[in-house]
Amino acid sequence: MEYAIELRNITKEFPGIKANDNINLKVRKNEVHSLLGENGSGKSTLMNILFGLYQPDEGDIYINGEKANIKNPEDAHRYGIGMVHQHFMLVEQMTALENIILGNESSGFFLNKSKSYKIVKEMVDKYGFKIDLNEKVSNLSIGMKQRVEILKTLYRGAEIVILDEPSAVLTPQEVIELYGIINSLKEKGKTVIFITHKLNEIMEVADSITVIRRGKVISSLSKCETTPEKLAHEMVGRNVETIVSNENIKLGKTVLKIKNVNLLTKNKDTISLEIKEGEILGIAGVDGNGQLQLEETVIGLKPQVPEKVFFNGVDIGQMSISQRKSMGIGYIPSDRFHRAILPSFSVKENVLLGFHDNEPFVNKGIINNKNLLSKTESLIEEFDVRVPNASVSINKLSGGNQQKVVLARETSQNPSLIIAAQPTRGLDVGAIEFIHRNLLSLKKQGKAILLISAELSEVMNLSDKIAVMFEGKIQGIIERKDFDKERIGRLMAGN
Ligand code: ADP
Ligand code: MG
């Protein structure tokens, strides 16, 4: 059988790590082939080799049965291969159309703009893209920008489209629209390689799957021969319970109470909510409906204070973040990179961020390194942070391990409320499972948890109660016994 792509014995080593170890991969024409593996397993490296960005140390590439010589992305284009990277590469100041035709020498950029528009418009209609071609890229949502990237590959004649973790940056609704685009690409004869570490996505879109772990192919199979549980096992190398679920415990007194707070300036709607000891309140909703402002209101980042926020009966509406934290609020921010860690500082220093007022670690402004180091080491152990030592800079860690550091720091001071905002965004299954178990065990210890997440399955598995947000207000509150995906979905859409 002739394959659209066949990679034979591809090996690629970086200093200290074999990113790809003798990889064999076969992709049939006109299928959606998923490359599944945890963060760091070598997926992007392999696809960057196919796309000509890296040269393999060993191994060969065959396109449609013929050996191919791909030295750079231009060669890849000539072989009909296009790639959409995890980080988009668009010119923000230009329109969608200009970005699509930019860099394709044969288009004669300015001269043929109206002709190019016609060609691109035809593509847009053919594949059913929803997009305004004349809008500036800087005004487009992430989902739209991704469509521009996909159109760019098609405009260059791609027959094989590689999508590197395309859903990682999208909202649930944009993900569904992306599935639609992938399906129509397939319908119109294209071949798609879909890179992911999320099992539910595979079940949605893939025809066949190659699982890689630590740079090696673990298995190659068609979707109908497998289950999410089997795939999880192959990906991680051990059994993982992909669903860690909540059980009810007796609730205590009210820990957090918010009264009539307006979250979005564009309307006058307000929200009120309450969380009790031993309760996880999940906030579901499409990103951008006030979740970020809710997170900021509770921790004290929202500028338009004072708000009516009560913590254990005390009005904290005018208190600073550090006052709130020292009263017993742990905070896992949605923006980990800017709000939770100092990327160029060590793991140890990042742990200190939570303890800078505490005597055993800092006395009269002087850091006690010995105490800090032993505290950090015990947290690293307890939270299973994979790190060579505590002095390594935190940006050397994977997202999952960074998040474990944040979780360790924010929960080690015995808070009574934990704000967990998008706590597993971008993490792999192993780390997700760990974070979920931890949140549930914190609940069992009687902590109140505000769980804000765009991942609906996460909210449904962990919460005792779900409040669905839409345009800055709570569109509905549902008790655990009445959880229903469709009903929540309708509320998310404002119905
Ligand atoms: P994935 O896409 O599956 O998350 P990658 O292919 O990005 O994984 O990375 C595989 C391994 O190779 C990781 O350990 C990563 O740190 C390493 N790696 C990737 N690119 C480089 C590079 N340019 N230089 C050094 N190491 C790299
Ligand atoms: Mg990658």
Side-chain angles (χ1 to χ4, degrees):
M1 161 151 195
E2 187 181 299
Y3 293 95
I5 294 167
E6 199 181 339
L7 301 179
R8 291 192 196 161
N9 311 104
I10 298 282
T11 292
K12 176 77 181 172
E13 210 163 322
F14 292 115
I17 180 141
K18 227 177 214 182
N20 290 163
D21 189 355
N22 197 29
I23 287 196
N24 288 293
L25 174 79
K26 289 174 181 166
V27 179
R28 281 189 203 87
K29 247 181 221 156
N30 198 212
E31 71 168 353
V32 178
H33 192 102
S34 189
L35 191 56
L36 175 72
E38 288 202 280
N39 286 326
S41 56
K43 308 181 294 295
S44 296
T45 301
L46 187 66
M47 288 302 118
N48 284 333
I49 288 172
L50 175 58
F51 191 56
L53 282 167
Y54 295 154
Q55 292 306 304
D57 302 334
E58 282 168 55
D60 295 309
I61 299 173
Y62 290 80
I63 310 285
N64 297 323
E66 305 255 331
K67 190 165 166 182
N69 186 10
I70 304 179
K71 292 269 171 269
N72 51 52
E74 284 313 311
D75 290 343
H77 288 143
R78 272 194 287 279
Y79 282 105
I81 301 171
M83 180 161 177
V84 176
H85 296 271
Q86 263 165 303
H87 304 286
F88 301 152
M89 300 173 176
L90 299 171
V91 184
E92 294 274 320
Q93 286 315 306
M94 291 183 145
T95 66
L97 177 70
E98 287 163 347
N99 268 280
I100 291 163
I101 61 185
L102 179 75
N104 193 357
E105 316 80 26
S106 61
S107 72
F109 191 42
F110 287 108
L111 284 177
N112 289 325
K113 204 161 160 191
S114 71
K115 200 172 138 209
S116 311
Y117 178 82
K118 255 180 98 180
I119 298 170
V120 176
K121 186 72 175 58
E122 266 168 32
M123 279 172 12
V124 166
D125 294 341
K126 178 173 169 190
Y127 296 103
F129 282 81
K130 279 187 215 135
I131 191 160
D132 178 0
L133 289 172
N134 293 315
E135 187 63 71
K136 243 197 207 171
V137 164
S138 56
N139 295 332
L140 298 179
S141 67
I142 306 251
M144 290 285 181
K145 288 182 187 171
Q146 188 175 63
R147 283 172 218 171
V148 175
E149 289 278 17
I150 296 173
L151 282 163
K152 236 175 122 167
T153 69
L154 297 175
Y155 187 70
R156 276 164 187 65
E159 287 302 318
I160 299 157
V161 181
I162 306 167
L163 303 171
D164 194 352
E165 307 228 16
S167 69
V169 290
L170 301 181
T171 65
Q173 258 160 13
E174 288 174 328
V175 170
I176 289 165
E177 291 178 41
L178 172 69
Y179 293 160
I181 290 171
I182 291 175
N183 279 329
S184 87
L185 288 172
K186 186 177 134 183
E187 247 167 52
K188 303 283 183 330
K190 305 285 184 195
T191 303
V192 178
I193 302 182
F194 182 91
I195 305 180
T196 187
H197 62 257
K198 295 186 184 169
L199 298 160
N200 59 338
E201 301 197 324
I202 300 236
M203 291 311 181
E204 291 283 344
V205 294
D207 298 307
S208 48
I209 303 143
T210 297
V211 185
I212 64 173
R213 187 168 78 227
R214 292 172 195 259
K216 288 197 171 89
V217 171
I218 302 299
S219 61
S220 270
L221 24 83
S222 79
K223 181 174 69 182
C224 38
E225 331 169 61
T226 191
T227 63
E229 290 71 31
K230 276 192 210 157
L231 288 173
H233 185 108
E234 286 174 344
M235 175 164 72
V236 184
R238 63 182 168 87
N239 272 327
V240 266
E241 253 183 77
T242 45
I243 294 171
V244 180
S245 193
N246 188 337
E247 56 191 273
N248 272 330
I249 61 164
K250 210 168 163 291
L251 303 184
K253 65 178 175 48
T254 298
V255 176
L256 178 72
K257 188 170 175 174
I258 297 173
K259 252 180 101 176
N260 302 328
V261 172
N262 168 253
L263 293 176
L264 298 180
T265 41
K266 72 173 183 189
N267 59 34
K268 295 236 170 331
D269 290 317
T270 63
I271 75 162
S272 300
L273 51 84
E274 246 186 85
I275 313 177
K276 295 193 164 70
E277 288 171 339
E279 183 178 40
I280 299 182
L281 174 69
I283 304 289
V286 176
D287 246 351
N289 276 282
Q291 295 96 323
L292 180 62
Q293 289 77 4
L294 174 62
E295 169 189 342
E296 292 174 341
T297 299
V298 179
I299 196 59
L301 270 158
K302 206 168 164 251
Q304 56 263 51
V305 279
E307 300 284 15
K308 293 207 167 52
V309 182
F310 300 90
F311 176 64
N312 287 328
V314 181
D315 184 351
I316 59 166
Q318 297 196 59
M319 291 187 185
S320 68
I321 303 175
S322 59
Q323 280 174 312
R324 293 182 199 207
K325 289 180 87 165
S326 64
M327 285 178 77
I329 301 183
Y331 179 38
I332 302 167
S334 53
D335 187 347
R336 178 169 61 239
F337 209 72
H338 292 105
R339 287 185 173 164
I341 60 171
L342 294 172
S344 56
F345 284 73
S346 67
V347 171
K348 193 172 64 184
E349 285 158 328
N350 272 281
V351 169
L352 174 70
L353 281 180
F355 300 94
H356 54 278
D357 294 330
N358 288 38
E359 272 232 336
F361 308 109
V362 181
N363 197 352
K364 300 195 180 79
I366 297 171
I367 298 174
N368 182 328
N369 256 310
K370 203 169 127 256
N371 287 354
L372 178 62
L373 191 64
S374 67
K375 176 72 181 173
T376 307
E377 276 165 357
S378 73
L379 287 176
I380 284 175
E381 169 127 8
E382 186 188 340
F383 284 81
D384 188 29
V385 181
R386 313 274 167 84
V387 57
N389 63 66
S391 303
V392 160
S393 111
I394 197 167
N395 60 14
K396 295 276 187 313
L397 273 57
S398 70
N401 284 308
Q402 290 176 356
Q403 191 71 318
K404 287 177 184 175
V405 172
V406 176
L407 181 73
R409 181 184 72 209
E410 296 300 316
T411 57
S412 62
Q413 308 246 58
N414 196 25
S416 45
L417 170 71
I418 292 137
I419 306 166
Q422 318 295 352
T424 62
R425 186 176 269 172
L427 309 191
D428 53 55
V429 267
I432 292 173
E433 183 203 20
F434 184 91
I435 305 266
H436 285 175
R437 278 189 194 289
N438 247 276
L439 291 174
L440 290 173
S441 103
L442 290 162
K443 164 203 157 80
K444 273 194 195 144
Q445 296 162 29
K447 321 264 184 228
I449 297 174
L450 174 63
L451 170 68
I452 304 174
S453 172
E455 202 72 60
L456 187 53
S457 56
E458 173 169 79
V459 180
M460 288 180 70
N461 286 336
L462 299 182
S463 309
D464 296 288
K465 211 189 256 179
I466 293 178
V468 184
M469 285 188 71
F470 178 73
E471 296 193 340
K473 60 184 183 294
I474 289 174
Q475 192 74 9
I477 291 197
I478 306 175
E479 298 285 337
R480 183 164 186 85
K481 62 177 173 33
D482 301 322
F483 284 3
D484 170 68
K485 200 167 177 176
E486 243 157 66
R487 182 165 159 217
I488 296 172
R490 281 197 300 274
L491 291 168
M492 284 168 75
N495 301 319

